[in-house]
Amino acid sequence: MVVIAMAEVLRPEPMTLEQWADMDEDEPGELVDGTLVEEEVPTNLHELIVSWLLYALMTWAKERGGRVFGSEHKLGVSTRRGRKPDVTVYAPRTKIDLQASLSRVAPLMVVEVISPRARDVRRDRVEKLADYARFGVRWYWLLDPAVRLLEVLELGADGRYTIALQASTERVSIPGCDGLVLDLADLWREVDEAAAEYNAPSIERGEG
């Protein structure tokens, strides 16, 4: 028997998209079919990678008039579903209500950094993929630290995503983002340096 890992329900009672949008910012969860479910619990590695991506994307978008949001930005992807991507990028001249707690406008791009738990992998590769496609997100990035792989998916006229780019450690030009070049080797070098610092003996503890 195959066991399908699903996100844990945080609140069994029904919730509207507006109620989800008005939740306190420190209260976690995404909305799936009117039910509040757990969201990914990020590790320090996850957040290090997200911060690297945010810096690269914000630098690129600022020169072109685009807007970039972090992991607390809420998307109303349908009437009963709400998602919080790790990174959201809007095209230039997209009208975004900065006072609103929810966006119903499809962004140009969303990014998800995959965590190793089976339920998180399924959420990013199956559930969110379908949600973002229906919402009309043109580009969907998946970055998997476990295998050091970036996948850039493009939404086709048939409403399905196809792979536009797969890259691992090289310096690559990103499709759909004119002028954006990512040095993935630099990303993984930063990850390795952080890991080495953590594993190094501590002088203050008298080790080494």
Side-chain angles (χ1 to χ4, degrees), residues 148-187:
R148 300 197 169 186
L149 178 67
L150 170 66
E151 296 173 88
V152 176
L153 309 181
E154 181 179 10
L155 187 66
D158 61 355
R160 298 184 180 184
Y161 283 113
T162 57
I163 297 175
L165 172 74
Q166 287 184 321
S168 181
T169 60
E170 59 267 39
R171 183 179 175 89
V172 291
S173 296
I174 304 299
C177 302
D178 184 44
L180 176 60
V181 177
L182 293 184
D183 186 351
L184 296 176
D186 178 70
L187 167 61

Coordinates of all heavy atoms in Angstrom, one line a residue, residues 148-187:
R148 N 20.7 19.7 -5.1 CA 21.3 20.9 -5.7 C 20.8 21.2 -7.1 O 21.6 21.3 -8.0 CB 22.8 20.9 -5.5 CG 23.2 20.8 -4.1 CD 24.7 21.2 -3.8 NE 24.9 21.3 -2.4 CZ 26.0 21.8 -1.8 NH1 27.1 22.1 -2.6 NH2 26.2 21.9 -0.5
L149 N 19.5 21.2 -7.2 CA 18.9 21.4 -8.6 C 17.9 22.5 -8.6 O 17.0 22.5 -7.7 CB 18.3 20.1 -9.0 CG 17.5 20.0 -10.3 CD1 18.6 20.2 -11.5 CD2 16.7 18.8 -10.5
L150 N 18.0 23.4 -9.6 CA 17.0 24.4 -9.8 C 16.2 24.0 -11.1 O 16.8 23.7 -12.1 CB 17.7 25.8 -10.1 CG 16.7 26.9 -10.6 CD1 15.7 27.2 -9.5 CD2 17.5 28.1 -11.0
E151 N 14.9 24.0 -10.9 CA 14.0 23.7 -12.1 C 13.2 24.9 -12.3 O 12.5 25.4 -11.4 CB 13.1 22.5 -11.8 CG 13.9 21.2 -11.7 CD 12.9 20.1 -11.2 OE1 12.4 19.4 -12.1 OE2 12.8 19.9 -10.0
V152 N 13.1 25.4 -13.5 CA 12.3 26.5 -13.9 C 11.2 26.0 -14.8 O 11.5 25.5 -15.9 CB 13.1 27.7 -14.6 CG1 12.2 28.8 -15.1 CG2 14.2 28.2 -13.7
L153 N 10.0 26.1 -14.4 CA 8.8 25.6 -15.1 C 8.1 26.7 -15.8 O 7.8 27.8 -15.1 CB 7.9 24.8 -14.2 CG 8.5 23.7 -13.3 CD1 7.5 23.0 -12.5 CD2 9.3 22.7 -14.2
E154 N 7.6 26.6 -17.0 CA 6.9 27.6 -17.7 C 5.4 27.1 -17.9 O 5.2 26.0 -18.4 CB 7.5 27.9 -19.0 CG 6.8 29.0 -19.8 CD 7.4 29.4 -21.1 OE1 8.4 28.6 -21.5 OE2 7.0 30.4 -21.7
L155 N 4.5 28.0 -17.7 CA 3.1 27.6 -17.9 C 2.7 27.8 -19.4 O 2.9 28.8 -20.0 CB 2.2 28.6 -17.1 CG 0.7 28.3 -17.1 CD1 0.4 26.9 -16.4 CD2 -0.1 29.4 -16.4
G156 N 2.2 26.7 -20.0 CA 1.9 26.7 -21.4 C 0.4 27.1 -21.6 O -0.4 27.3 -20.7
A157 N 0.1 27.2 -22.9 CA -1.3 27.6 -23.3 C -2.3 26.6 -22.9 O -3.5 26.9 -22.7 CB -1.3 27.8 -24.8
D158 N -1.9 25.3 -22.6 CA -2.8 24.3 -22.2 C -3.0 24.3 -20.7 O -3.7 23.4 -20.1 CB -2.3 22.9 -22.6 CG -0.9 22.6 -22.1 OD1 -0.3 23.5 -21.4 OD2 -0.4 21.5 -22.3
G159 N -2.4 25.3 -20.0 CA -2.6 25.4 -18.5 C -1.7 24.4 -17.7 O -1.9 24.2 -16.5
R160 N -0.7 23.9 -18.4 CA 0.2 22.9 -17.7 C 1.7 23.5 -17.7 O 2.1 24.2 -18.7 CB 0.2 21.6 -18.4 CG -1.2 20.9 -18.3 CD -1.1 19.5 -18.9 NE -2.4 18.8 -18.8 CZ -2.6 17.6 -19.2 NH1 -1.6 16.8 -19.7 NH2 -3.8 17.0 -19.1
Y161 N 2.4 23.1 -16.7 CA 3.8 23.5 -16.7 C 4.7 22.5 -17.4 O 4.5 21.3 -17.3 CB 4.3 23.6 -15.2 CG 3.8 24.8 -14.5 CD1 2.9 24.7 -13.4 CD2 4.3 26.1 -14.8 CE1 2.5 25.8 -12.7 CE2 3.9 27.2 -14.2 CZ 3.0 27.1 -13.1 OH 2.5 28.2 -12.5
T162 N 5.7 23.0 -18.1 CA 6.8 22.2 -18.7 C 8.1 22.8 -18.2 O 8.2 23.9 -17.9 CB 6.7 22.2 -20.2 OG1 6.8 23.6 -20.7 CG2 5.4 21.6 -20.7
I163 N 9.1 21.9 -18.2 CA 10.4 22.3 -17.8 C 11.1 23.2 -18.8 O 11.3 22.8 -20.0 CB 11.3 21.1 -17.4 CG1 10.7 20.3 -16.3 CG2 12.7 21.5 -17.1 CD1 11.4 19.0 -16.0
A164 N 11.5 24.4 -18.4 CA 12.2 25.3 -19.3 C 13.7 25.3 -19.0 O 14.5 25.7 -19.9 CB 11.6 26.7 -19.2
L165 N 14.0 24.9 -17.8 CA 15.5 24.9 -17.4 C 15.7 24.0 -16.2 O 14.9 24.0 -15.3 CB 15.9 26.4 -17.1 CG 17.3 26.5 -16.5 CD1 18.4 26.3 -17.6 CD2 17.5 27.8 -15.8
Q166 N 16.8 23.3 -16.3 CA 17.3 22.5 -15.1 C 18.7 22.9 -15.0 O 19.5 22.8 -16.0 CB 17.1 21.0 -15.3 CG 15.6 20.6 -15.2 CD 15.5 19.0 -15.2 OE1 16.2 18.4 -16.0 NE2 14.7 18.5 -14.4
A167 N 19.2 23.3 -13.8 CA 20.6 23.7 -13.6 C 21.0 23.3 -12.2 O 20.2 23.2 -11.3 CB 20.7 25.2 -13.8
S168 N 22.3 23.0 -12.1 CA 22.8 22.5 -10.8 C 23.8 23.5 -10.2 O 23.5 24.2 -9.2 CB 23.4 21.1 -11.0 OG 23.9 20.6 -9.8
T169 N 25.0 23.5 -10.8 CA 26.1 24.3 -10.1 C 26.6 25.3 -11.1 O 27.6 26.0 -10.7 CB 27.2 23.3 -9.7 OG1 27.7 22.7 -10.8 CG2 26.7 22.3 -8.7
E170 N 26.0 25.5 -12.2 CA 26.6 26.4 -13.2 C 26.0 27.8 -13.1 O 25.1 28.1 -12.3 CB 26.4 25.9 -14.6 CG 25.0 25.7 -15.0 CD 24.4 24.3 -14.8 OE1 24.8 23.7 -13.7 OE2 23.7 23.8 -15.6
R171 N 26.6 28.7 -13.9 CA 26.1 30.1 -14.0 C 25.1 30.1 -15.2 O 25.5 29.8 -16.3 CB 27.2 31.1 -14.2 CG 26.9 32.5 -14.3 CD 28.1 33.3 -14.5 NE 27.8 34.7 -14.7 CZ 27.8 35.6 -13.7 NH1 28.0 35.2 -12.5 NH2 27.5 36.9 -14.0
V172 N 23.8 30.5 -14.9 CA 22.8 30.3 -15.9 C 22.0 31.6 -16.1 O 21.7 32.3 -15.2 CB 21.8 29.1 -15.6 CG1 22.5 27.8 -15.6 CG2 21.2 29.4 -14.2
S173 N 21.6 31.8 -17.4 CA 20.6 32.8 -17.7 C 19.2 32.3 -17.5 O 18.9 31.2 -18.0 CB 20.8 33.3 -19.1 OG 22.1 33.9 -19.3
I174 N 18.3 33.0 -16.8 CA 17.0 32.4 -16.5 C 16.0 32.8 -17.5 O 15.8 34.0 -17.8 CB 16.6 33.0 -15.1 CG1 17.6 32.6 -14.0 CG2 15.2 32.4 -14.7 CD1 17.9 31.2 -13.8
P175 N 15.3 31.8 -18.1 CA 14.3 32.1 -19.1 C 13.1 32.9 -18.5 O 12.7 32.7 -17.3 CB 13.8 30.7 -19.5 CG 14.2 29.8 -18.4 CD 15.5 30.4 -17.8
G176 N 12.6 33.8 -19.3 CA 11.5 34.7 -18.8 C 11.9 35.9 -18.0 O 11.1 36.7 -17.6
C177 N 13.2 36.0 -17.7 CA 13.7 37.0 -16.8 C 14.9 37.7 -17.6 O 16.1 37.3 -17.3 CB 14.1 36.5 -15.5 SG 12.8 35.7 -14.5
D178 N 14.6 38.5 -18.5 CA 15.7 39.1 -19.3 C 16.8 39.8 -18.5 O 16.5 40.6 -17.6 CB 15.1 40.1 -20.3 CG 16.1 40.7 -21.2 OD1 16.9 39.9 -21.8 OD2 16.1 41.9 -21.4
G179 N 18.0 39.3 -18.7 CA 19.1 39.9 -17.9 C 19.4 39.3 -16.6 O 20.4 39.6 -15.9
L180 N 18.6 38.3 -16.2 CA 18.8 37.7 -14.9 C 19.8 36.5 -15.0 O 19.4 35.5 -15.8 CB 17.5 37.2 -14.2 CG 17.7 36.5 -12.9 CD1 18.4 37.3 -11.8 CD2 16.3 36.0 -12.4
V181 N 20.9 36.6 -14.4 CA 21.9 35.5 -14.4 C 22.1 35.0 -13.0 O 22.4 35.9 -12.1 CB 23.2 35.9 -15.1 CG1 24.2 34.8 -15.0 CG2 23.0 36.3 -16.5
L182 N 22.0 33.8 -12.7 CA 22.2 33.2 -11.3 C 23.5 32.4 -11.3 O 23.6 31.5 -12.2 CB 21.0 32.4 -10.9 CG 19.7 33.1 -10.6 CD1 18.7 32.1 -10.1 CD2 19.9 34.3 -9.7
D183 N 24.3 32.7 -10.4 CA 25.5 31.9 -10.2 C 25.3 30.8 -9.1 O 25.4 31.1 -7.9 CB 26.7 32.8 -9.8 CG 28.0 32.0 -9.7 OD1 28.0 30.8 -9.8 OD2 29.1 32.7 -9.6
L184 N 24.8 29.7 -9.5 CA 24.4 28.6 -8.6 C 25.6 28.1 -7.8 O 25.5 27.7 -6.7 CB 23.7 27.5 -9.3 CG 22.3 27.9 -9.9 CD1 21.7 26.7 -10.7 CD2 21.4 28.4 -8.9
A185 N 26.8 28.1 -8.4 CA 28.0 27.7 -7.7 C 28.2 28.6 -6.5 O 28.6 28.1 -5.4 CB 29.2 27.8 -8.6
D186 N 27.9 29.9 -6.6 CA 28.1 30.8 -5.5 C 27.1 30.5 -4.4 O 27.4 30.5 -3.2 CB 27.8 32.2 -6.0 CG 27.9 33.2 -4.8 OD1 29.0 33.5 -4.3 OD2 26.8 33.8 -4.5
L187 N 25.9 30.1 -4.8 CA 24.9 29.7 -3.8 C 25.4 28.5 -2.9 O 25.3 28.5 -1.7 CB 23.5 29.4 -4.4 CG 22.5 28.6 -3.6 CD1 22.1 29.5 -2.4 CD2 21.3 28.3 -4.4

